[in-house]
Every structure is written in structure tokens, then in C-alpha cells.
Amino acid sequence: MIGDADCDCTIKSADAAMILRALVGLDTLTSQSERNADADNDGEITAADASAIIRFIVGLVPALPIGE
């Protein structure tokens, strides 16, 4: 599920945190986590993906990936 970086079937702030932790080398994403973490569907995992997840959680965007 797009946005569910920790693969627990729920999109929550922990998914955004996991992405940010992986970006600075404090966490490792599995291949499935990487696919799920690409919340803006641009083929890269960046802080923008974490931001998109948070925007989705608070209702600022209607769906993930962004633009779908």
C-alpha cells in the first residue's frame, strides 16, 4: 500500500518517520518498504514522500500516490 513504509497495513506518522530515518541512515527500507514509501510516485525516496504521507494523514491530499 502506497504510504505504508513499515508494511503494517496502516498509513500513519510512523511511516513518514521511517522514511526520514532511512534517508539519514538510521533505518533500512526493504524493497517492499521502498515501493510503499514512494508516496509522490516519482521513483525516488525523499523527504517529499514523508511530507506527502503527513499531508495525506491530516487530509490535505485525498489519495496516495499524490496526483492519483
Side-chain angles (χ1 to χ4, degrees):
M1 167 187 326
I2 299 299
D4 181 20
D6 62 8
C7 301
D8 70 350
C9 299
T10 305
I11 300 171
K12 58 196 177 312
S13 61
D15 297 302
M18 183 176 185
I19 292 168
L20 295 174
R21 289 176 56 81
L23 290 173
V24 297
L26 297 175
D27 212 338
T28 303
L29 299 177
T30 65
S31 58
Q32 182 63 52
S33 291
E34 286 181 3
R35 285 189 293 278
N36 292 355
D38 189 11
D40 60 10
N41 204 28
D42 69 352
E44 296 181 272
I45 307 303
T46 66
D49 296 302
S51 176
I53 290 167
I54 295 299
R55 291 189 327 240
F56 173 73
I57 291 168
V58 299
L60 295 177
V61 295
L64 293 174
I66 301 295
E68 294 284 311

